[in-house]
Amino acid sequence: QVDLMVSGGGSVQAGGSLRLSCAASASGYTYCDYDMKWYRQSPEKEREFVSGLDRGGHTTYADSVKGRFTISRNNEKNTVYLQMNNLNPEDTAMYHCEATATCADFLGRSRTKTYWGRGPRVTVSS
């Protein structure tokens, strides 16, 4: 089992910055490796991919956030961050973290599964 704890978010004015965190905590495994993604959803839109960082360090961004958002990770803490700069009202949404975890138990058996961490809400006022 992998639990994701998402934190950060809040309310800012346009042009402001926020940082989101998504920390993965695994139980029952000796080792896990993660591909991490951020999504967002607002009432007016369908769920939208925001950014991804795979276990190889490759990053991807939605066109709408390129140059403003930066995804990074702390492998020791199994945490991925989303630094959001120059926010605008269109960034207002609930942000969700997705982790595709490949984990191995003490017998060396591996399993890949996708987990979700919901929240937090980001509100950007004009």
Side-chain angles (χ1 to χ4, degrees):
Q1 176 66 32
V2 174
D3 295 318
L4 300 179
M5 179 172 292
V6 187
S7 60
S11 299
V12 295
Q13 291 189 329
S17 299
L18 289 171
R19 189 177 83 156
L20 307 182
S21 301
C22 177
S25 177
S27 58
Y29 298 108
T30 57
Y31 179 80
C32 289
D33 214 352
Y34 303 93
D35 294 329
M36 308 290 283
K37 295 179 181 178
W38 289 97
Y39 290 84
R40 65 187 181 187
Q41 187 164 18
S42 63
E44 302 79 20
K45 300 179 182 179
E46 295 184 352
R47 189 178 69 187
E48 174 188 21
F49 168 79
V50 176
S51 182
L53 176 55
D54 67 20
R55 62 197 68 186
H58 181 249
T59 60
T60 52
Y61 296 94
D63 288 342
S64 59
V65 306
K66 280 182 181 177
R68 300 188 298 122
F69 290 12
T70 302
I71 191 170
S72 63
R73 72 194 301 162
N74 182 321
N75 289 326
E76 291 185 358
K77 296 182 179 181
N78 289 325
T79 300
V80 65
Y81 305 97
L82 185 67
Q83 178 65 43
M84 305 182 293
N85 297 328
N86 195 20
L87 287 160
N88 61 60
E90 292 185 350
D91 296 316
T92 295
M94 289 291 292
Y95 283 70
H96 308 300
C97 174
E98 177 195 273
T100 299
T102 299
C103 299
D105 64 16
F106 71 100
L107 295 176
R109 297 172 299 191
S110 66
R111 179 183 183 184
T112 299
K113 188 175 180 180
T114 298
Y115 301 87
W116 280 90
R118 300 194 179 277
R121 181 168 183 79
V122 171
T123 301
V124 185
S125 57
S126 57

